[in-house]
Amino acid sequence: MGNYKELIVWQKSVDLVTEIYKVTTTFPKEELYGLTSQIRRSSVSIPSNIAEGHSRRSTNDYLQFLKIARGSSAELETQLIISKNLNYLNPENFQILIEKISEISKMLNAVITKLQTP
């Protein structure tokens, strides 16, 4: 199975987290323990679940953690839509982040499908 750090989906997820942290530094201070925290936690959840699932060395466990990572990506997308609607996130940054989330979600779907195929 190799090392999870070699997985492109994990690498892209870590890069996304870095961008999320940079973008959310401009959010209002009163959101630090609200939306900012939620966005950061859901973004961190994606590569964290990929890594944890991969380290379990069981296909069923790995699948479960990949599905959790996929759910976190949907959660993150929802939170970014809310942020854009509140004008915390400019349309350009929003579009870049949404495209990255979409790519990661597609990659997660591909890995899940491959692991579920006998």
Side-chain angles (χ1 to χ4, degrees), residues 32-46:
L32 186 60
Y33 300 106
L35 199 52
T36 302
S37 175
Q38 284 290 113
I39 289 170
R40 288 176 174 182
R41 283 188 285 135
S42 59
S43 71
V44 168
S45 176
I46 300 168

Side-chain angles (χ1 to χ4, degrees), residues 89-102:
L89 193 56
N90 71 48
E92 181 182 314
N93 284 340
F94 171 78
Q95 194 58 43
I96 290 167
L97 293 170
I98 290 297
E99 287 172 11
K100 289 179 185 233
I101 294 167
S102 177

Side-chain angles (χ1 to χ4, degrees), residues 21-111:
Y21 267 76
K22 289 176 184 174
V23 166
T24 56
T25 60
T26 64
F27 281 27
K29 294 300 173 212
E30 65 266 15
E31 287 294 346
L32 186 60
Y33 300 106
L35 199 52
T36 302
S37 175
Q38 284 290 113
I39 289 170
R40 288 176 174 182
R41 283 188 285 135
S42 59
S43 71
V44 168
S45 176
I46 300 168
S48 298
N49 277 292
I50 294 168
E52 184 172 355
H54 191 273
S55 298
R56 294 287 177 110
R57 299 291 185 192
S58 154
T59 302
N60 286 337
D61 285 347
Y62 190 21
L63 276 167
Q64 183 61 31
F65 281 93
L66 288 172
K67 290 175 183 178
I68 293 168
R70 184 175 59 186
S72 293
S73 69
E75 183 181 356
L76 177 59
E77 183 176 20
T78 300
Q79 293 159 351
L80 292 178
I81 290 167
I82 293 166
S83 299
K84 180 185 65 92
N85 291 348
L86 293 170
N87 295 315
Y88 296 165
L89 193 56
N90 71 48
E92 181 182 314
N93 284 340
F94 171 78
Q95 194 58 43
I96 290 167
L97 293 170
I98 290 297
E99 287 172 11
K100 289 179 185 233
I101 294 167
S102 177
E103 179 183 21
I104 290 166
S105 293
K106 287 176 186 172
M107 293 174 85
L108 287 168
N109 284 333
V111 175

Side-chain angles (χ1 to χ4, degrees), residues 2-21:
N3 188 311
Y4 67 86
K5 291 181 231 161
E6 296 170 5
L7 298 170
I8 294 171
V9 68
W10 180 84
Q11 294 168 6
K12 288 182 179 281
S13 304
V14 169
D15 291 343
L16 176 64
V17 173
T18 305
E19 289 187 48
I20 289 291
Y21 267 76

